[in-house]
Amino acid sequence: PGGDIVVTARKREERLIDVPVAVSALSRETINRYGITDVKAITQNVPTLFISPVPTGSGSSVNIRGLGSLGADVGVPNEVVFNIDGIPVNRGRVIGLGLLDTQRIEVLKGPQSLFFGRNSPAGVVSIISQDPGNEFGGYARASYEFASVRPSIEGAVDLPLGTDFSVRLAGKVTDQRGYIRNTAV
């Protein structure tokens, strides 16, 4: 049916209602509507997910439902694993990752080591990029943030190179002049 939310919590596409896991899913439309452009911005739309940088600069503190690690020690892996297009990352430096051309984000709450193969007692944040399409197409989007004087242009294009092979090119250009203007003479 057209209104179903499809997730890959058990490594196959299923309707969200059929998955026996607590999942918060953000679709491409939701990501674009709320301007989620980096990993930290996911927390604004997912209850019980907390991501914050660590003052030492060595990573981040990531918690789901209050479970997680402080992230201040680079030798200790996080209890929350980031799964980026099937590649598990359990270090806090992923907090600096920008999101571009993202199809969906799934936050799976609770232990997920059965399907994701890593030690993830608190949960998994799964980020799935948009796959190339079978037809020529794409999108372009421009935005401007007035507070930080930051124009941005983003776009992607699908290039079918045969019946079974397609390529997707995506990019983003941003110019930020900073938050502070020095008006001293």
PDB file of all heavy atoms in Angstrom, residues 69-108:
ATOM      1  N   SER A  69      27.848   5.874  25.831  1.00  0.00           N
ATOM      2  CA  SER A  69      29.119   6.140  26.480  1.00  0.00           C
ATOM      3  C   SER A  69      29.410   7.626  26.426  1.00  0.00           C
ATOM      4  O   SER A  69      28.813   8.365  25.652  1.00  0.00           O
ATOM      5  CB  SER A  69      30.242   5.359  25.799  1.00  0.00           C
ATOM      6  OG  SER A  69      30.384   5.799  24.472  1.00  0.00           O
ATOM      7  N   LEU A  70      30.364   8.052  27.231  1.00  0.00           N
ATOM      8  CA  LEU A  70      30.736   9.456  27.247  1.00  0.00           C
ATOM      9  C   LEU A  70      31.504   9.855  26.007  1.00  0.00           C
ATOM     10  O   LEU A  70      31.482  10.998  25.606  1.00  0.00           O
ATOM     11  CB  LEU A  70      31.562   9.765  28.496  1.00  0.00           C
ATOM     12  CG  LEU A  70      30.807   9.651  29.807  1.00  0.00           C
ATOM     13  CD1 LEU A  70      31.739   9.901  30.976  1.00  0.00           C
ATOM     14  CD2 LEU A  70      29.658  10.633  29.836  1.00  0.00           C
ATOM     15  N   GLY A  71      32.227   8.948  25.409  1.00  0.00           N
ATOM     16  CA  GLY A  71      32.937   9.232  24.177  1.00  0.00           C
ATOM     17  C   GLY A  71      34.229   9.999  24.359  1.00  0.00           C
ATOM     18  O   GLY A  71      34.889  10.333  23.395  1.00  0.00           O
ATOM     19  N   ALA A  72      34.606  10.329  25.600  1.00  0.00           N
ATOM     20  CA  ALA A  72      35.821  11.105  25.829  1.00  0.00           C
ATOM     21  C   ALA A  72      37.079  10.271  25.609  1.00  0.00           C
ATOM     22  O   ALA A  72      38.139  10.809  25.337  1.00  0.00           O
ATOM     23  CB  ALA A  72      35.814  11.680  27.239  1.00  0.00           C
ATOM     24  N   ASP A  73      36.978   8.965  25.717  1.00  0.00           N
ATOM     25  CA  ASP A  73      38.117   8.078  25.524  1.00  0.00           C
ATOM     26  C   ASP A  73      38.028   7.471  24.122  1.00  0.00           C
ATOM     27  O   ASP A  73      37.085   6.741  23.815  1.00  0.00           O
ATOM     28  CB  ASP A  73      38.111   6.976  26.579  1.00  0.00           C
ATOM     29  CG  ASP A  73      39.341   6.092  26.511  1.00  0.00           C
ATOM     30  OD1 ASP A  73      40.222   6.346  25.663  1.00  0.00           O
ATOM     31  OD2 ASP A  73      39.429   5.161  27.317  1.00  0.00           O
ATOM     32  N   VAL A  74      38.991   7.789  23.266  1.00  0.00           N
ATOM     33  CA  VAL A  74      38.946   7.288  21.890  1.00  0.00           C
ATOM     34  C   VAL A  74      39.152   5.782  21.812  1.00  0.00           C
ATOM     35  O   VAL A  74      38.850   5.176  20.798  1.00  0.00           O
ATOM     36  CB  VAL A  74      39.976   8.003  20.990  1.00  0.00           C
ATOM     37  CG1 VAL A  74      39.616   9.455  20.833  1.00  0.00           C
ATOM     38  CG2 VAL A  74      41.379   7.843  21.523  1.00  0.00           C
ATOM     39  N   GLY A  75      39.629   5.157  22.881  1.00  0.00           N
ATOM     40  CA  GLY A  75      39.838   3.721  22.884  1.00  0.00           C
ATOM     41  C   GLY A  75      38.599   2.921  23.246  1.00  0.00           C
ATOM     42  O   GLY A  75      38.590   1.713  23.120  1.00  0.00           O
ATOM     43  N   VAL A  76      37.539   3.590  23.681  1.00  0.00           N
ATOM     44  CA  VAL A  76      36.308   2.911  24.073  1.00  0.00           C
ATOM     45  C   VAL A  76      35.254   3.139  22.995  1.00  0.00           C
ATOM     46  O   VAL A  76      34.900   4.280  22.717  1.00  0.00           O
ATOM     47  CB  VAL A  76      35.794   3.450  25.434  1.00  0.00           C
ATOM     48  CG1 VAL A  76      34.477   2.791  25.813  1.00  0.00           C
ATOM     49  CG2 VAL A  76      36.834   3.230  26.519  1.00  0.00           C
ATOM     50  N   PRO A  77      34.768   2.059  22.381  1.00  0.00           N
ATOM     51  CA  PRO A  77      33.743   2.239  21.343  1.00  0.00           C
ATOM     52  C   PRO A  77      32.406   2.659  21.948  1.00  0.00           C
ATOM     53  O   PRO A  77      32.097   2.331  23.090  1.00  0.00           O
ATOM     54  CB  PRO A  77      33.650   0.859  20.692  1.00  0.00           C
ATOM     55  CG  PRO A  77      34.150  -0.087  21.709  1.00  0.00           C
ATOM     56  CD  PRO A  77      35.145   0.662  22.547  1.00  0.00           C
ATOM     57  N   ASN A  78      31.619   3.368  21.167  1.00  0.00           N
ATOM     58  CA  ASN A  78      30.284   3.773  21.611  1.00  0.00           C
ATOM     59  C   ASN A  78      29.355   2.571  21.668  1.00  0.00           C
ATOM     60  O   ASN A  78      29.508   1.618  20.904  1.00  0.00           O
ATOM     61  CB  ASN A  78      29.694   4.804  20.647  1.00  0.00           C
ATOM     62  CG  ASN A  78      30.199   6.200  20.909  1.00  0.00           C
ATOM     63  OD1 ASN A  78      30.488   6.554  22.041  1.00  0.00           O
ATOM     64  ND2 ASN A  78      30.288   7.000  19.870  1.00  0.00           N
ATOM     65  N   GLU A  79      28.370   2.655  22.540  1.00  0.00           N
ATOM     66  CA  GLU A  79      27.344   1.616  22.613  1.00  0.00           C
ATOM     67  C   GLU A  79      26.309   1.781  21.511  1.00  0.00           C
ATOM     68  O   GLU A  79      25.509   0.899  21.273  1.00  0.00           O
ATOM     69  CB  GLU A  79      26.655   1.623  23.984  1.00  0.00           C
ATOM     70  CG  GLU A  79      27.432   0.896  25.070  1.00  0.00           C
ATOM     71  CD  GLU A  79      28.560   1.744  25.649  1.00  0.00           C
ATOM     72  OE1 GLU A  79      28.592   2.947  25.367  1.00  0.00           O
ATOM     73  OE2 GLU A  79      29.398   1.177  26.349  1.00  0.00           O
ATOM     74  N   VAL A  80      26.321   2.940  20.849  1.00  0.00           N
ATOM     75  CA  VAL A  80      25.447   3.184  19.705  1.00  0.00           C
ATOM     76  C   VAL A  80      26.302   3.098  18.451  1.00  0.00           C
ATOM     77  O   VAL A  80      27.299   3.795  18.321  1.00  0.00           O
ATOM     78  CB  VAL A  80      24.778   4.570  19.798  1.00  0.00           C
ATOM     79  CG1 VAL A  80      23.931   4.834  18.561  1.00  0.00           C
ATOM     80  CG2 VAL A  80      23.944   4.684  21.058  1.00  0.00           C
ATOM     81  N   VAL A  81      25.913   2.225  17.527  1.00  0.00           N
ATOM     82  CA  VAL A  81      26.660   2.036  16.288  1.00  0.00           C
ATOM     83  C   VAL A  81      25.967   2.806  15.170  1.00  0.00           C
ATOM     84  O   VAL A  81      24.741   2.766  15.045  1.00  0.00           O
ATOM     85  CB  VAL A  81      26.745   0.536  15.925  1.00  0.00           C
ATOM     86  CG1 VAL A  81      27.342   0.329  14.547  1.00  0.00           C
ATOM     87  CG2 VAL A  81      27.555  -0.208  16.961  1.00  0.00           C
ATOM     88  N   PHE A  82      26.742   3.514  14.372  1.00  0.00           N
ATOM     89  CA  PHE A  82      26.234   4.150  13.161  1.00  0.00           C
ATOM     90  C   PHE A  82      26.474   3.188  12.014  1.00  0.00           C
ATOM     91  O   PHE A  82      27.586   2.685  11.839  1.00  0.00           O
ATOM     92  CB  PHE A  82      26.945   5.480  12.895  1.00  0.00           C
ATOM     93  CG  PHE A  82      26.485   6.582  13.790  1.00  0.00           C
ATOM     94  CD1 PHE A  82      27.019   6.736  15.049  1.00  0.00           C
ATOM     95  CD2 PHE A  82      25.494   7.456  13.372  1.00  0.00           C
ATOM     96  CE1 PHE A  82      26.588   7.749  15.885  1.00  0.00           C
ATOM     97  CE2 PHE A  82      25.059   8.472  14.200  1.00  0.00           C
ATOM     98  CZ  PHE A  82      25.609   8.615  15.463  1.00  0.00           C
ATOM     99  N   ASN A  83      25.438   2.895  11.254  1.00  0.00           N
ATOM    100  CA  ASN A  83      25.541   2.019  10.101  1.00  0.00           C
ATOM    101  C   ASN A  83      25.304   2.888   8.866  1.00  0.00           C
ATOM    102  O   ASN A  83      24.181   3.279   8.584  1.00  0.00           O
ATOM    103  CB  ASN A  83      24.510   0.902  10.195  1.00  0.00           C
ATOM    104  CG  ASN A  83      24.679  -0.125   9.126  1.00  0.00           C
ATOM    105  OD1 ASN A  83      25.533  -0.001   8.255  1.00  0.00           O
ATOM    106  ND2 ASN A  83      23.864  -1.158   9.163  1.00  0.00           N
ATOM    107  N   ILE A  84      26.376   3.206   8.159  1.00  0.00           N
ATOM    108  CA  ILE A  84      26.300   4.105   7.016  1.00  0.00           C
ATOM    109  C   ILE A  84      26.407   3.277   5.744  1.00  0.00           C
ATOM    110  O   ILE A  84      27.478   2.765   5.419  1.00  0.00           O
ATOM    111  CB  ILE A  84      27.397   5.180   7.083  1.00  0.00           C
ATOM    112  CG1 ILE A  84      27.293   5.933   8.414  1.00  0.00           C
ATOM    113  CG2 ILE A  84      27.306   6.127   5.898  1.00  0.00           C
ATOM    114  CD1 ILE A  84      28.478   6.776   8.750  1.00  0.00           C
ATOM    115  N   ASP A  85      25.279   3.091   5.065  1.00  0.00           N
ATOM    116  CA  ASP A  85      25.201   2.275   3.845  1.00  0.00           C
ATOM    117  C   ASP A  85      25.804   0.891   4.052  1.00  0.00           C
ATOM    118  O   ASP A  85      26.537   0.384   3.198  1.00  0.00           O
ATOM    119  CB  ASP A  85      25.868   2.987   2.670  1.00  0.00           C
ATOM    120  CG  ASP A  85      25.096   4.214   2.228  1.00  0.00           C
ATOM    121  OD1 ASP A  85      23.862   4.210   2.380  1.00  0.00           O
ATOM    122  OD2 ASP A  85      25.719   5.164   1.731  1.00  0.00           O
ATOM    123  N   GLY A  86      25.521   0.295   5.201  1.00  0.00           N
ATOM    124  CA  GLY A  86      25.972  -1.060   5.486  1.00  0.00           C
ATOM    125  C   GLY A  86      27.335  -1.160   6.136  1.00  0.00           C
ATOM    126  O   GLY A  86      27.795  -2.254   6.432  1.00  0.00           O
ATOM    127  N   ILE A  87      27.995  -0.054   6.379  1.00  0.00           N
ATOM    128  CA  ILE A  87      29.316  -0.068   7.005  1.00  0.00           C
ATOM    129  C   ILE A  87      29.176   0.400   8.454  1.00  0.00           C
ATOM    130  O   ILE A  87      28.796   1.551   8.696  1.00  0.00           O
ATOM    131  CB  ILE A  87      30.302   0.832   6.247  1.00  0.00           C
ATOM    132  CG1 ILE A  87      30.445   0.342   4.817  1.00  0.00           C
ATOM    133  CG2 ILE A  87      31.649   0.886   6.961  1.00  0.00           C
ATOM    134  CD1 ILE A  87      31.208   1.264   3.909  1.00  0.00           C
ATOM    135  N   PRO A  88      29.464  -0.459   9.435  1.00  0.00           N
ATOM    136  CA  PRO A  88      29.310  -0.062  10.839  1.00  0.00           C
ATOM    137  C   PRO A  88      30.459   0.831  11.309  1.00  0.00           C
ATOM    138  O   PRO A  88      31.621   0.580  11.009  1.00  0.00           O
ATOM    139  CB  PRO A  88      29.311  -1.394  11.587  1.00  0.00           C
ATOM    140  CG  PRO A  88      30.035  -2.337  10.699  1.00  0.00           C
ATOM    141  CD  PRO A  88      29.836  -1.863   9.294  1.00  0.00           C
ATOM    142  N   VAL A  89      30.108   1.889  12.032  1.00  0.00           N
ATOM    143  CA  VAL A  89      31.078   2.813  12.607  1.00  0.00           C
ATOM    144  C   VAL A  89      30.674   3.019  14.059  1.00  0.00           C
ATOM    145  O   VAL A  89      29.565   3.479  14.329  1.00  0.00           O
ATOM    146  CB  VAL A  89      31.087   4.170  11.866  1.00  0.00           C
ATOM    147  CG1 VAL A  89      32.073   5.126  12.501  1.00  0.00           C
ATOM    148  CG2 VAL A  89      31.360   3.988  10.392  1.00  0.00           C
ATOM    149  N   ASN A  90      31.566   2.673  14.989  1.00  0.00           N
ATOM    150  CA  ASN A  90      31.200   2.843  16.395  1.00  0.00           C
ATOM    151  C   ASN A  90      32.133   3.806  17.119  1.00  0.00           C
ATOM    152  O   ASN A  90      32.308   3.727  18.319  1.00  0.00           O
ATOM    153  CB  ASN A  90      31.127   1.500  17.111  1.00  0.00           C
ATOM    154  CG  ASN A  90      32.469   0.805  17.190  1.00  0.00           C
ATOM    155  OD1 ASN A  90      33.406   1.192  16.512  1.00  0.00           O
ATOM    156  ND2 ASN A  90      32.553  -0.216  18.007  1.00  0.00           N
ATOM    157  N   ARG A  91      32.694   4.735  16.413  1.00  0.00           N
ATOM    158  CA  ARG A  91      33.512   5.781  17.022  1.00  0.00           C
ATOM    159  C   ARG A  91      32.765   7.093  16.954  1.00  0.00           C
ATOM    160  O   ARG A  91      32.032   7.368  16.001  1.00  0.00           O
ATOM    161  CB  ARG A  91      34.869   5.915  16.317  1.00  0.00           C
ATOM    162  CG  ARG A  91      35.691   4.660  16.372  1.00  0.00           C
ATOM    163  CD  ARG A  91      36.171   4.394  17.770  1.00  0.00           C
ATOM    164  NE  ARG A  91      37.002   3.203  17.770  1.00  0.00           N
ATOM    165  CZ  ARG A  91      37.178   2.459  18.820  1.00  0.00           C
ATOM    166  NH1 ARG A  91      36.612   2.757  19.956  1.00  0.00           N
ATOM    167  NH2 ARG A  91      37.944   1.403  18.766  1.00  0.00           N
ATOM    168  N   GLY A  92      32.973   7.943  17.930  1.00  0.00           N
ATOM    169  CA  GLY A  92      32.228   9.181  18.045  1.00  0.00           C
ATOM    170  C   GLY A  92      32.564  10.254  17.032  1.00  0.00           C
ATOM    171  O   GLY A  92      31.858  11.245  16.940  1.00  0.00           O
ATOM    172  N   ARG A  93      33.606  10.091  16.252  1.00  0.00           N
ATOM    173  CA  ARG A  93      33.967  11.118  15.276  1.00  0.00           C
ATOM    174  C   ARG A  93      32.937  11.248  14.154  1.00  0.00           C
ATOM    175  O   ARG A  93      32.987  12.182  13.373  1.00  0.00           O
ATOM    176  CB  ARG A  93      35.333  10.831  14.678  1.00  0.00           C
ATOM    177  CG  ARG A  93      36.434  10.990  15.679  1.00  0.00           C
ATOM    178  CD  ARG A  93      37.630  11.634  15.034  1.00  0.00           C
ATOM    179  NE  ARG A  93      38.687  11.806  15.998  1.00  0.00           N
ATOM    180  CZ  ARG A  93      38.952  12.956  16.571  1.00  0.00           C
ATOM    181  NH1 ARG A  93      38.232  14.004  16.296  1.00  0.00           N
ATOM    182  NH2 ARG A  93      39.937  13.058  17.420  1.00  0.00           N
ATOM    183  N   VAL A  94      32.006  10.336  14.076  1.00  0.00           N
ATOM    184  CA  VAL A  94      30.966  10.399  13.056  1.00  0.00           C
ATOM    185  C   VAL A  94      30.067  11.616  13.263  1.00  0.00           C
ATOM    186  O   VAL A  94      29.326  11.998  12.366  1.00  0.00           O
ATOM    187  CB  VAL A  94      30.147   9.083  13.049  1.00  0.00           C
ATOM    188  CG1 VAL A  94      29.184   9.026  14.206  1.00  0.00           C
ATOM    189  CG2 VAL A  94      29.426   8.893  11.734  1.00  0.00           C
ATOM    190  N   ILE A  95      30.161  12.263  14.407  1.00  0.00           N
ATOM    191  CA  ILE A  95      29.335  13.441  14.684  1.00  0.00           C
ATOM    192  C   ILE A  95      29.602  14.570  13.690  1.00  0.00           C
ATOM    193  O   ILE A  95      28.735  15.384  13.411  1.00  0.00           O
ATOM    194  CB  ILE A  95      29.533  13.928  16.136  1.00  0.00           C
ATOM    195  CG1 ILE A  95      28.454  14.944  16.512  1.00  0.00           C
ATOM    196  CG2 ILE A  95      30.905  14.522  16.325  1.00  0.00           C
ATOM    197  CD1 ILE A  95      28.436  15.307  17.961  1.00  0.00           C
ATOM    198  N   GLY A  96      30.764  14.620  13.103  1.00  0.00           N
ATOM    199  CA  GLY A  96      31.091  15.662  12.134  1.00  0.00           C
ATOM    200  C   GLY A  96      30.629  15.346  10.721  1.00  0.00           C
ATOM    201  O   GLY A  96      30.846  16.127   9.808  1.00  0.00           O
ATOM    202  N   LEU A  97      29.969  14.215  10.528  1.00  0.00           N
ATOM    203  CA  LEU A  97      29.539  13.783   9.203  1.00  0.00           C
ATOM    204  C   LEU A  97      28.365  14.614   8.711  1.00  0.00           C
ATOM    205  O   LEU A  97      27.379  14.795   9.406  1.00  0.00           O
ATOM    206  CB  LEU A  97      29.140  12.301   9.249  1.00  0.00           C
ATOM    207  CG  LEU A  97      28.662  11.661   7.966  1.00  0.00           C
ATOM    208  CD1 LEU A  97      29.816  11.553   6.987  1.00  0.00           C
ATOM    209  CD2 LEU A  97      28.095  10.288   8.249  1.00  0.00           C
ATOM    210  N   GLY A  98      28.477  15.125   7.503  1.00  0.00           N
ATOM    211  CA  GLY A  98      27.362  15.824   6.873  1.00  0.00           C
ATOM    212  C   GLY A  98      26.526  14.835   6.074  1.00  0.00           C
ATOM    213  O   GLY A  98      27.027  13.834   5.579  1.00  0.00           O
ATOM    214  N   LEU A  99      25.244  15.111   5.964  1.00  0.00           N
ATOM    215  CA  LEU A  99      24.346  14.225   5.233  1.00  0.00           C
ATOM    216  C   LEU A  99      24.027  14.842   3.882  1.00  0.00           C
ATOM    217  O   LEU A  99      23.620  15.997   3.795  1.00  0.00           O
ATOM    218  CB  LEU A  99      23.062  14.005   6.026  1.00  0.00           C
ATOM    219  CG  LEU A  99      23.240  13.372   7.399  1.00  0.00           C
ATOM    220  CD1 LEU A  99      21.905  13.297   8.119  1.00  0.00           C
ATOM    221  CD2 LEU A  99      23.852  11.989   7.282  1.00  0.00           C
ATOM    222  N   LEU A 100      24.225  14.080   2.832  1.00  0.00           N
ATOM    223  CA  LEU A 100      23.963  14.538   1.469  1.00  0.00           C
ATOM    224  C   LEU A 100      23.246  13.439   0.711  1.00  0.00           C
ATOM    225  O   LEU A 100      23.677  12.275   0.742  1.00  0.00           O
ATOM    226  CB  LEU A 100      25.285  14.881   0.760  1.00  0.00           C
ATOM    227  CG  LEU A 100      25.201  15.166  -0.731  1.00  0.00           C
ATOM    228  CD1 LEU A 100      24.438  16.461  -0.968  1.00  0.00           C
ATOM    229  CD2 LEU A 100      26.578  15.244  -1.337  1.00  0.00           C
ATOM    230  N   ASP A 101      22.150  13.778   0.060  1.00  0.00           N
ATOM    231  CA  ASP A 101      21.411  12.841  -0.790  1.00  0.00           C
ATOM    232  C   ASP A 101      21.022  11.580  -0.014  1.00  0.00           C
ATOM    233  O   ASP A 101      21.242  10.465  -0.456  1.00  0.00           O
ATOM    234  CB  ASP A 101      22.246  12.503  -2.028  1.00  0.00           C
ATOM    235  CG  ASP A 101      21.387  12.039  -3.185  1.00  0.00           C
ATOM    236  OD1 ASP A 101      20.222  12.461  -3.274  1.00  0.00           O
ATOM    237  OD2 ASP A 101      21.889  11.247  -4.002  1.00  0.00           O
ATOM    238  N   THR A 102      20.430  11.780   1.150  1.00  0.00           N
ATOM    239  CA  THR A 102      20.057  10.678   2.033  1.00  0.00           C
ATOM    240  C   THR A 102      18.641  10.219   1.722  1.00  0.00           C
ATOM    241  O   THR A 102      17.712  11.024   1.653  1.00  0.00           O
ATOM    242  CB  THR A 102      20.152  11.121   3.508  1.00  0.00           C
ATOM    243  OG1 THR A 102      21.465  11.611   3.743  1.00  0.00           O
ATOM    244  CG2 THR A 102      19.867   9.974   4.442  1.00  0.00           C
ATOM    245  N   GLN A 103      18.465   8.907   1.540  1.00  0.00           N
ATOM    246  CA  GLN A 103      17.151   8.340   1.255  1.00  0.00           C
ATOM    247  C   GLN A 103      16.325   8.247   2.531  1.00  0.00           C
ATOM    248  O   GLN A 103      15.162   8.627   2.559  1.00  0.00           O
ATOM    249  CB  GLN A 103      17.291   6.965   0.623  1.00  0.00           C
ATOM    250  CG  GLN A 103      15.970   6.305   0.301  1.00  0.00           C
ATOM    251  CD  GLN A 103      16.158   4.936  -0.309  1.00  0.00           C
ATOM    252  OE1 GLN A 103      17.265   4.484  -0.551  1.00  0.00           O
ATOM    253  NE2 GLN A 103      15.066   4.258  -0.558  1.00  0.00           N
ATOM    254  N   ARG A 104      16.919   7.723   3.610  1.00  0.00           N
ATOM    255  CA  ARG A 104      16.212   7.632   4.880  1.00  0.00           C
ATOM    256  C   ARG A 104      17.196   7.390   6.018  1.00  0.00           C
ATOM    257  O   ARG A 104      18.342   6.987   5.794  1.00  0.00           O
ATOM    258  CB  ARG A 104      15.129   6.561   4.852  1.00  0.00           C
ATOM    259  CG  ARG A 104      15.622   5.159   4.814  1.00  0.00           C
ATOM    260  CD  ARG A 104      14.459   4.167   4.777  1.00  0.00           C
ATOM    261  NE  ARG A 104      14.958   2.815   4.636  1.00  0.00           N
ATOM    262  CZ  ARG A 104      15.257   2.234   3.494  1.00  0.00           C
ATOM    263  NH1 ARG A 104      15.088   2.869   2.366  1.00  0.00           N
ATOM    264  NH2 ARG A 104      15.730   1.011   3.469  1.00  0.00           N
ATOM    265  N   ILE A 105      16.715   7.665   7.216  1.00  0.00           N
ATOM    266  CA  ILE A 105      17.478   7.428   8.432  1.00  0.00           C
ATOM    267  C   ILE A 105      16.601   6.593   9.350  1.00  0.00           C
ATOM    268  O   ILE A 105      15.434   6.922   9.564  1.00  0.00           O
ATOM    269  CB  ILE A 105      17.864   8.755   9.122  1.00  0.00           C
ATOM    270  CG1 ILE A 105      18.722   9.606   8.188  1.00  0.00           C
ATOM    271  CG2 ILE A 105      18.575   8.489  10.442  1.00  0.00           C
ATOM    272  CD1 ILE A 105      18.916  11.030   8.660  1.00  0.00           C
ATOM    273  N   GLU A 106      17.169   5.512   9.881  1.00  0.00           N
ATOM    274  CA  GLU A 106      16.435   4.646  10.803  1.00  0.00           C
ATOM    275  C   GLU A 106      17.206   4.577  12.110  1.00  0.00           C
ATOM    276  O   GLU A 106      18.391   4.289  12.116  1.00  0.00           O
ATOM    277  CB  GLU A 106      16.292   3.243  10.212  1.00  0.00           C
ATOM    278  CG  GLU A 106      15.568   3.209   8.890  1.00  0.00           C
ATOM    279  CD  GLU A 106      15.648   1.854   8.197  1.00  0.00           C
ATOM    280  OE1 GLU A 106      16.233   0.912   8.773  1.00  0.00           O
ATOM    281  OE2 GLU A 106      15.133   1.747   7.084  1.00  0.00           O
ATOM    282  N   VAL A 107      16.527   4.860  13.211  1.00  0.00           N
ATOM    283  CA  VAL A 107      17.126   4.745  14.536  1.00  0.00           C
ATOM    284  C   VAL A 107      16.467   3.557  15.208  1.00  0.00           C
ATOM    285  O   VAL A 107      15.274   3.593  15.529  1.00  0.00           O
ATOM    286  CB  VAL A 107      16.946   6.036  15.353  1.00  0.00           C
ATOM    287  CG1 VAL A 107      17.552   5.876  16.732  1.00  0.00           C
ATOM    288  CG2 VAL A 107      17.568   7.224  14.630  1.00  0.00           C
ATOM    289  N   LEU A 108      17.254   2.481  15.400  1.00  0.00           N
ATOM    290  CA  LEU A 108      16.761   1.254  16.002  1.00  0.00           C
ATOM    291  C   LEU A 108      17.172   1.245  17.465  1.00  0.00           C
ATOM    292  O   LEU A 108      18.363   1.320  17.778  1.00  0.00           O
ATOM    293  CB  LEU A 108      17.335   0.029  15.283  1.00  0.00           C
ATOM    294  CG  LEU A 108      16.904  -0.128  13.834  1.00  0.00           C
ATOM    295  CD1 LEU A 108      17.795   0.675  12.916  1.00  0.00           C
ATOM    296  CD2 LEU A 108      16.926  -1.568  13.447  1.00  0.00           C
TER     297      LEU A 108
END
